[in-house]
Amino acid sequence: MSLKLRRVIFKLVGDGRPYPEHGLSNREWAQIPPRQVRLDTLITTKAVLDLHSLLAKDSTFYGDLFPHVVQWRGELYLEDGLHRALRSALHQRPVLHARVLELPAD
């Protein structure tokens, strides 16, 4: 009997940033307006998750409310906000609002 996974949370689980360094500060990220992004189009840049951070009530208190995504070579990389993205998935939401930085392909 074969089982097929019907739903996935992310497109891929990566470990590291394959795109070039962008050097944006938190202030510069804040200038990018958030837009909706489907979770299943994202590639993570972290393969490890801290459950304490995921389950903390104030996990977004000190940071940006919106995850940071880098679009490079046609792919969307979740640079910051893995905990927020997983929290959205746990609430059965297939999209989240994120700030998306578009980098040139080279």
Side-chain angles (χ1 to χ4, degrees), residues 4-45:
K4 289 188 177 182
L5 188 63
R6 290 180 176 222
R7 292 177 79 187
V8 295
I9 296 174
F10 300 113
K11 181 175 182 177
L12 290 171
V13 175
D15 192 15
R17 301 174 184 174
Y19 49 86
E21 180 61 42
H22 52 71
L24 254 61
S25 67
N26 286 336
R27 174 173 259 167
E28 292 167 317
W29 272 108
Q31 301 304 310
I32 300 172
R35 69 181 207 208
Q36 284 191 342
V37 177
R38 291 188 52 84
L39 293 175
D40 62 3
T41 64
L42 294 172
I43 299 171
T44 70
T45 59

Side-chain angles (χ1 to χ4, degrees), residues 11 17-20 41 43 69-77 100-106:
K11 181 175 182 177
R17 301 174 184 174
Y19 49 86
T41 64
I43 299 171
V69 173
V70 174
Q71 183 174 352
W72 184 64
R73 293 186 174 171
E75 301 290 357
L76 295 171
Y77 295 93
V100 179
L101 172 66
E102 296 180 20
L103 290 180
D106 286 332

Side-chain angles (χ1 to χ4, degrees), residues 65-98:
L65 290 176
F66 301 103
H68 297 171
V69 173
V70 174
Q71 183 174 352
W72 184 64
R73 293 186 174 171
E75 301 290 357
L76 295 171
Y77 295 93
L78 181 62
E79 179 173 284
D80 181 52
L82 179 59
H83 299 92
R84 289 174 288 250
L86 282 172
R87 196 173 299 120
S88 290
L90 289 172
H91 289 298
Q92 310 264 326
R93 293 189 298 253
V95 299
L96 77 154
H97 286 83

